[in-house]
Amino acid sequence: MENLTNCDEGLQPAVCRACLWARGAAWGRRAAGESLPPRRPAAQPCALGGLDAQQRAPQPLTPGGGEVWLLSGSAPGHWTARPATAAMPVGSLLPLFSSPGGGGLGGGLGVGLGGGRKGSGPAAFRLTEKFVLLLVFSAFITLCFGAIFFLPDSSKLLSGVLFHSNPALQPAAEHKPGPGARAEDAAEGRVRHREEGAPGDPAAALEDNLARIRENHERALREAKETLQKLPEEIQRDILLEKVKVAQDQLRDKVLVGDLPEVDFLPPIGVENREPADAAIREKRAKIKEMMNHAWTNYKRYAWGLNELKPISKEGHSSSLFGNIKGATIVDALDTLFIMGMKTEFQEAKLWIEKNLDFNVNAEVSVFEVNIRFVGGLLSAYYLSGEEIFRKKAVELGVKLLPAFRTPSGIPWALLNMKSGIGQNWPWASGGSSILAEFGTLHLEFMHLSHLSGNSIFAKKVMNIRTVLNKLKKPEGLYPNYLNPSSGQWGQHHVSVGGLGDSFYEYLLKAWLMSDKTDLEAKKMYFDAVQAIETHLIRKSSGGLTYIAEWKGGLLEHKMGHLTCFAGGMFALGADGAPEALAQHYLELGAEIARTCHESYNRTFMKLGPEAFRFDGGVEAIATRQNEKYYILRPEVIETYMYMWRLTHDPKYRTWAWEAVEALENHCRVNGGYSGLQDVYFVNESYDDVQQSFFLAETLKYLYLIFSDDDLLPLEHWIFNTEAHPLPILREDKKPVEVKEK
């Protein structure tokens, strides 16, 4: 159909019907009952119910007239007149759903509301109505895809229903598994998946998923119905009873912990801050201390007592992660100040904590962030200095976090109201799940809280997390990032060694090391997980760069985050505990990850790494999406440099670390402190105006340790939590803190 004139020049009837659809109904200004002019004959019926080449539809005399001419769906070929001022039948808004004979949805509505017209013609389908329907249709499609990808266990549904994926059909890895990944294990797994009714069977998994989803929906409907049937007074009473119960539980926790026992503090090992013998190294270390002084001084000048600094605006910045708790930078920087010998600044921070650090706030906080920054920072400050205020505050905060564990499974909530003790999870998390990297990154701190308080309640809470995890079947031996705290079952099958998963694996290794290598359960969990990661996630690019991809329901996304770069140091740190045949392999794997992450820095204009970088579409170690090109003063790459330097003494790691120092000074340093960057590939700096507290806690601390001698916080005596706060190894024969018998 080339143009409308063709319809008047003898096209076939079926084509003319399509042309008529494109034209729409004709508007005319004729009085009711007046016949059409001869030159505009009314259309006559034809065999196909349409218009033949000579049968024209009525045409408008003038626009905006008083009548509307519509093609009737009940009598093919007949035109009827309707006053233009009359309300348009509902059926006319739904032509896409009408059958030719008017028997569809539009036709049905037309009968009831259109005054006897059984079907609406396409004439009434205006452009605006098309647009509205298109929006509705688009929203429906978006909702469907959202349900597929983001509901709990949706990845199972996706792989089982749409793709019928089978691990045996996945492409072979370019990166060969290490010696620990046995071929017999992979073959055995494939056989199990083919067995009827086996846990890995897609049909069985799909049936289980649907049954669980149906059960959850029915329970939610029942609860909603019961709530709606209650009177407002009853609902208010239930809320008050719940608050009373929470308050009683909080009081019970305080009673369980009780007063802190008296302790004898033993001086820590490896905190003597000797100057390096090499003059060039001394100069570089002094420069890093000056950077710390610049960051701290500006925080004190412009944001003292607030959580973080906005160095461009020269004012305070408070993240919702901490609720109304203040002083995140002060607590996070305590041990860095102590290690660098900034004693005056350390005492200023201690005085502020004594007078101002308050956890009795009516606000939601991130349990994970408060634990690693506040609990970890206070514990570390105590172990370094012996100041009792830090132990007292750490245990006090630990007690405030205990209500987060009040879930059916014992898996803690991500968010907790510090006053009411009521918890919930992030709204965006899969099916209301808790996050692996969050509930899995409490172990080190809570074990030390039990150690310092003399009460086992903290240790029991985190050991229960292991109990829950060990009961669950791991897909391909991997740990999904989401776990529902109510059901105790996995949510969406998304696996990452970066964001949402990272520090869980780190804490498995460090739990074993911190126990003086007596926690054999943690050791087994760690090396089993590493074997699965190496088999399913670690790949090598065509350019020879080893990277760790993300796993989504059996499909790999060839993306590696800046957060994932910590893994190089983790693999190297765990090498000593691996079987003898694997020790060198894991050390080399750590070195390969360090090289890849260095390349992600080296391939930017700023010489600082992006938030995430990809290995697809012909690129390697480069961010291809605008929302992945930022740098927020993250420490993970430098953390890996520190471990690799300590374990190998290869001078390239000090060289790479100094490159990072120069980049930070050239591009992130401003008059008011240090700021993150919005695009590390752009020639001109675009600042995000936030000096993160972890820049002082982690980035600068790791840089300082790289250019210090190994006897400053030696790895044989200290374990760093995921915020770089050093915690001593808990030895059975010689404990750093000995509780006095009363």
Side-chain angles (χ1 to χ4, degrees), residues 572-646:
L573 182 63
D576 185 54
E580 186 175 350
L582 292 174
Q584 186 61 31
H585 166 72
Y586 285 128
L587 193 62
E588 292 173 356
L589 180 58
E592 291 177 21
I593 297 296
R595 174 173 168 256
T596 297
C597 294
H598 174 257
E599 283 300 311
S600 76
Y601 274 49
N602 202 43
R603 297 181 185 190
T604 71
F605 178 82
M606 302 289 181
K607 302 304 177 185
L608 293 166
E611 181 69 6
F613 45 94
R614 297 181 177 267
F615 295 85
D616 53 22
V619 302
E620 294 189 3
I622 294 175
T624 58
R625 303 182 183 182
Q626 190 59 41
N627 63 352
E628 296 173 347
K629 296 182 178 180
Y630 61 90
Y631 171 72
I632 57 172
L633 307 175
R634 285 203 186 277
E636 290 77 21
V637 175
I638 295 168
E639 175 184 355
T640 281
Y641 294 166
M642 190 277 290
Y643 282 111
M644 295 307 302
W645 163 253
R646 284 281 183 99

Side-chain angles (χ1 to χ4, degrees), residues 179 316 345 452 515:
E345 292 80 359
L452 290 180
S515 71

Side-chain angles (χ1 to χ4, degrees), residues 363-380:
E364 270 190 345
V365 303
S366 164
V367 175
F368 164 75
E369 293 289 353
V370 167
N371 175 67
I372 65 172
R373 302 198 202 198
F374 283 88
V375 177
L378 291 166
L379 288 172
S380 178

